[in-house]
């Protein structure tokens, strides 16, 4: 809607985010073109599709994520505040799970995750990667061996290694 104003090419938009931002990155990329979120609020008639997505350490299946970690009052309070319910059978968990929307017409994905992530299990990225490939989409999975949720290994950031992979991937799909 404001591409001209901000000097952007609406046909060359990429999204990237970490943790909750990784969740939103996947949700944006997988729901683009479905008319789910851009059909109101003055955005009617504008595309919400992106050309590439790089979700990092983001949950993709909120039902599984909540089931995996819902073992304390603190996590129960988190899910209650985040989703409005702790009932993982509630339709809202499926609606806000990116994995729900995977089909055969998705933008290229590069999923990045630490193998030792204790906040969002690496299986979340592995599951999304497999689903994207199942439908014939381009997907790369970069697992930072021994990396935690912030991609640190023994307290040392792995950002440089990750950037070496992500930047060429983004350029390949946005130029």
């Amino acid at each position: 809607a404001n591409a001209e104003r901000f000097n952007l090419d609406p046909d060359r938009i990429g999204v990237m985010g970490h943790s909750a931002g990784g969740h939103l990155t996947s949700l944006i990329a997988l729901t683009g073109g479905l008319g789910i979120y851009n059909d109101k609020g003055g955005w009617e008639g504008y595309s919400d599709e992106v050309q590439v997505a790089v979700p990092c350490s983001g949950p993709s299946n909120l039902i599984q994520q909540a089931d995996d970690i819902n073992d304390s009052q603190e996590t129960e309070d988190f899910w209650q505040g985040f989703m409005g319910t702790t009932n993982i059978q509630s339709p809202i968990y499926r609606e806000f799970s990116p994995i729900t929307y995977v089909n055969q017409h998705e933008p290229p994905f590069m999923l990045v995750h630490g193998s030792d992530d204790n906040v969002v299990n690496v299986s979340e990225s592995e599951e999304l990667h497999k689903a994207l490939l199942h439908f014939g989409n381009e997907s790369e999975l970069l697992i930072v061996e021994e990396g935690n949720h912030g991609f640190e290994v023994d307290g040392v950031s792995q950002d440089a290694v990750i950037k070496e992979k992500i930047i060429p991937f983004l350029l390949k799909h946005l130029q």
Side-chain angles (χ1 to χ4, degrees):
N2 290 297
E4 187 174 319
R5 177 178 165 208
F6 292 110
N7 196 29
L8 299 173
D9 182 346
D11 296 320
R12 291 180 12 188
I13 301 290
V15 289
M16 180 176 169
H18 179 261
S19 196
H23 168 254
L24 293 175
T25 293
S26 295
L27 199 60
I28 289 165
L30 295 169
T31 59
L34 299 179
I36 296 173
Y37 299 112
N38 71 331
D39 63 345
K40 53 188 157 286
W43 309 118
E44 304 86 356
Y46 294 99
S47 174
D48 61 349
E49 295 181 71
V50 299
Q51 285 66 53
V52 64
V54 183
C56 303
S57 303
S60 60
N61 182 339
L62 297 183
I63 296 167
Q64 186 62 50
Q65 177 75 7
D67 193 43
D68 283 349
I69 65 171
N70 210 3
D71 59 359
S72 71
Q73 188 61 48
E74 182 180 350
T75 56
E76 196 168 302
D77 291 346
F78 167 80
W79 288 107
Q80 180 65 42
F82 180 53
M83 301 301 287
T85 179
T86 58
N87 178 4
I88 62 174
Q89 300 307 314
S90 170
I92 196 166
Y93 279 80
R94 181 167 157 65
E95 180 181 344
F96 287 100
S97 291
I99 197 88
T100 300
Y101 302 99
V102 177
N103 66 59
Q104 60 188 356
H105 302 290
E106 305 302 354
F109 268 70
M110 175 180 274
L111 298 117
V112 184
H113 217 115
S115 67
D116 295 352
D117 189 333
N118 66 349
V119 177
V120 177
N121 194 295
V122 68
S123 65
E124 294 286 316
S125 287
E126 292 169 336
E127 179 184 7
L128 182 54
H129 175 66
K130 287 178 188 171
L132 287 161
L133 293 177
H134 173 78
F135 282 97
N137 297 292
E138 180 181 344
S139 179
E140 294 184 28
L141 177 60
L142 174 59
I143 296 179
V144 178
E145 291 302 324
E146 299 180 20
N148 64 16
H149 190 63
F151 308 124
E152 292 179 342
V153 177
D154 294 327
V156 178
S157 170
Q158 301 301 301
D159 287 352
V161 174
I162 295 166
K163 287 177 188 175
E164 286 178 16
K165 304 283 187 184
I166 292 173
I167 292 171
F169 183 80
L170 289 169
L171 291 174
K172 172 184 170 185
H173 294 289
L174 293 175
Q175 288 186 333

